[in-house]
Amino acid sequence: MKLAFDTGGTFTDFAMSKDDGTILLHKVLSTPDDPARAVLQGIDELLAKVRAGKKPQGALQILGATTVVTNAVLERKGVETAFITTEGFQDMLRIRTEGRYDLYDLAIQYPEPLVPRDRCYGAVERITAQGGVVQPLADECVEKIARQLV
């Protein structure tokens, strides 16, 4: 069985696919002060429906997501943050590709990046396109950045 949940600002939604292919949907009120409460409540309630007095067979895979973070990013609400990346890539949030909302608007104005340039930091490391480590992450560099952020 698989159970997925999405924590939103008002509701926490659940979907469960049973071994026989049926899908159950469930919804509980979100608990913004402690999102885990709503998640655990919804899982308990949904599993109670499935069990109906019987112990479930096999493993249960649980997948989680949240629109709370997505909404905070889209609405530009939330905490002040920094961007730490491989040295030389600090401008990744500012560099634009040729993808545009409107392909024919050559004067399009993009929104400001989520993190201002003065809070973008480069850490000493190098990784190949295949994921191989050329130069390991320099712990002392990350520690220095962390001290600056504090």
Side-chain angles (χ1 to χ4, degrees), residues 23-100:
I23 295 177
L24 300 171
L25 302 176
H26 189 61
K27 181 181 292 255
V28 300
L29 284 172
S30 292
T31 50
D33 61 314
D34 183 5
R37 277 196 354 254
V39 170
L40 294 173
Q41 174 191 341
I43 289 172
D44 285 345
E45 291 174 3
L46 195 50
L47 287 177
K49 287 181 184 179
V50 172
R51 285 185 199 131
K54 296 180 269 179
K55 214 172 187 170
Q57 300 294 318
L60 174 64
Q61 181 182 19
I62 299 177
L63 310 162
T66 178
T67 54
V68 172
V69 173
T70 303
N71 290 341
V73 169
L74 292 174
E75 295 168 5
R76 294 180 175 262
K77 296 178 180 174
V79 299
E80 189 173 308
T81 191
F83 177 61
I84 303 173
T85 186
T86 300
E87 190 172 56
F89 290 84
Q90 295 94 308
D91 289 316
M92 287 303 297
L93 300 178
R94 301 194 91 66
I95 295 172
R96 305 296 184 182
T97 63
E98 285 302 311
R100 292 191 273 277

Side-chain angles (χ1 to χ4, degrees), residues 105-138:
D105 184 356
L106 300 178
I108 193 165
Q109 295 294 312
Y110 287 99
E112 281 298 310
L114 293 171
V115 179
R117 178 60 177 89
D118 65 332
R119 290 198 314 262
C120 295
Y121 300 88
V124 176
E125 70 162 349
R126 276 296 172 241
I127 307 294
T128 67
Q130 294 73 32
V133 176
V134 175
Q135 181 176 6
L137 179 62

